[in-house]
Amino acid sequence: MPLDAWPVAVFVVGGDRVVQINANGLRLIGADGPASIVGRPTSEILVLGDPVSVDLDGGVAPDGAGTQWRHALIRPLNGGSLPVLVSRGEEWARGRERLRMLVVVPAASERNGGLLDVEARAEARGQIADVFANLAHEMRTPLNAVIGFGEILLGEHFGPLAGRYRDYARDIVGAGYHLLALVNGALDLGRASAGAASLDERPVELRSVLSSAIAMLEQAASAKSIALTVDDLAGLPLVYADETRMRQLFVNLIGNAIKYSPSSRPVVVRHRLDDDGEIRIDVVDQGTGMTREEVAIALLPFGRTESAIRTGEAGTGLGLPISKAIVEAHGGRMTIDSAPRRGTTVTVVLPANRLVAAPGRGGLLNLL
């Protein structure tokens, strides 16, 4: 039976890569054709969760038809996520390659109401962004008061405190700043997830953006004796983008590379311009690295991986989701190549229609 004849979405995967996808899968993911999906890591598109039902031994229990289902989230190309159910078929061999079929159906709420169309999704993202913004602003005022009064106590402005109370005040201030970082991160995620409509776009020098991001992070790198370099800074192109969001993107990515790298390990930013005009920027570190499963977790809001927790570094679990949302709002994509003890390479790809001019290319290129 041809894949396109199936009434549900079907993905054929080999290893962690999508090998084939049918028409319903393309519709579910919001892709125009298989070229934009085939070859991509499955973990970028589909995040598997818990079984729908379990047996007495804790294994995945089949439904009445003998099919085993798992909850999952699928990531449409235009941003956001959709709850789905996934059934994994048996592996089979094609030459030296091991393949597996994934059958994907919308979760009950989506099946009953039909998949949201593009305009409805955009409107929903805008409403979510508004809720994030209002909630963040409402929470900031009392949080700032808590932090302010905590700092007054910690500074002993109205008289000395006993040692235990001084420790309590320090804990209050630390917790307040952590919660404030979560609120600010949630607000940033809401704005970025609103898509292209939230961008303030203009021609932007990536050289200037990266220079300012590195300047902001030099102290953190210096504290760990980390050499922070950009290959061919002068060769970076001029792009049509939101400058503030681009700076936030690279502060997040380079900051993560510094945070999760051992002392004296270099962090390198590389870039290249493909023949088709796509702009690729890599942030490369030699840090703790992540497994494929941890990469999928790290891309979820508030996702903290075991390897990150083991480093003892504080974090909100929002840096990578915000970065991915910023890239996707610009019509690009972000991939992560990582392995434990090998380090991580995060690649940002901006589409050719974002390129304004580049050294050696002359003039305006594909601006419209």
Side-chain angles (χ1 to χ4, degrees), residues 15-80:
D16 188 42
R17 301 279 172 180
V18 177
V19 175
Q20 193 176 355
I21 181 173
N22 72 346
N24 280 313
L26 293 173
R27 187 170 68 88
L28 185 63
I29 204 75
D32 294 330
S36 58
I37 300 298
V38 171
R40 293 182 64 173
T42 312
S43 54
E44 283 185 14
I45 298 168
L46 195 65
V47 181
L48 290 177
D50 295 330
V52 171
S53 58
V54 296
D55 57 26
L56 294 177
D57 297 323
V60 184
D63 61 13
T67 305
Q68 298 177 337
W69 295 97
R70 284 184 176 273
H71 293 288
L73 288 176
I74 201 162
R75 300 178 180 279
L77 295 186
N78 60 357

Side-chain angles (χ1 to χ4, degrees), residues 296-314:
I297 292 170
L299 288 169
L300 293 174
F302 305 105
R304 292 274 287 160
T305 65
E306 289 293 330
S307 57
I309 293 170
R310 283 197 299 271
T311 65
E313 295 284 356

Side-chain angles (χ1 to χ4, degrees), residues 76 79 102 133 259 314 342 348:
L102 303 181
K259 181 189 294 186
R342 192 197 71 192
V348 172

Side-chain angles (χ1 to χ4, degrees), residues 257 260-262 265-266 284-290 338-344:
Y260 297 114
S261 289
R265 297 286 181 86
V284 185
D285 67 57
Q286 298 178 15
T288 53
M290 297 177 283
S338 187
R341 297 178 297 280
R342 192 197 71 192
T344 301

